[in-house]
Amino acid sequence: MAISVFDKFDEVKLKFAWGAESKSPLLSQLPSLTEHTCDEDYINAESVKKTNNQHPDYET
């Protein structure tokens, strides 16, 4: 079940993980990753636009 289907998923108390034998090793790295906010991405977007030569979708 996808926990994000709940309105207040941050209030859901997890009791176990099912199917742990096939869990992606990437998930084990999450606690050690540096965190960034969405606002930081938005601020950096202007500098990316200046160097991005990708064709915009609305013209295709």
Side-chain angles (χ1 to χ4, degrees), residues 1-4 6 8 10 12-13 19 21-22 28-30 35 40 43-46 48-49 54-55 57-60:
M1 177 186 307
I3 195 167
S4 61
F6 297 104
K8 297 179 180 179
D10 54 335
V12 174
K13 303 294 183 211
E21 70 278 0
S22 60
S28 299
Q29 298 175 25
L30 288 176
E35 295 181 346
E40 288 175 293
I43 291 168
N44 293 327
E46 289 304 315
V48 171
K49 283 182 184 178
Q54 183 176 354
H55 194 279
D57 288 339
Y58 63 85
E59 293 181 4
T60 58

Side-chain angles (χ1 to χ4, degrees), residues 25-45:
L26 287 173
L27 295 176
S28 299
Q29 298 175 25
L30 288 176
S32 64
L33 295 177
T34 303
E35 295 181 346
H36 299 278
T37 64
C38 293
D39 290 338
E40 288 175 293
D41 286 341
Y42 181 75
I43 291 168
N44 293 327

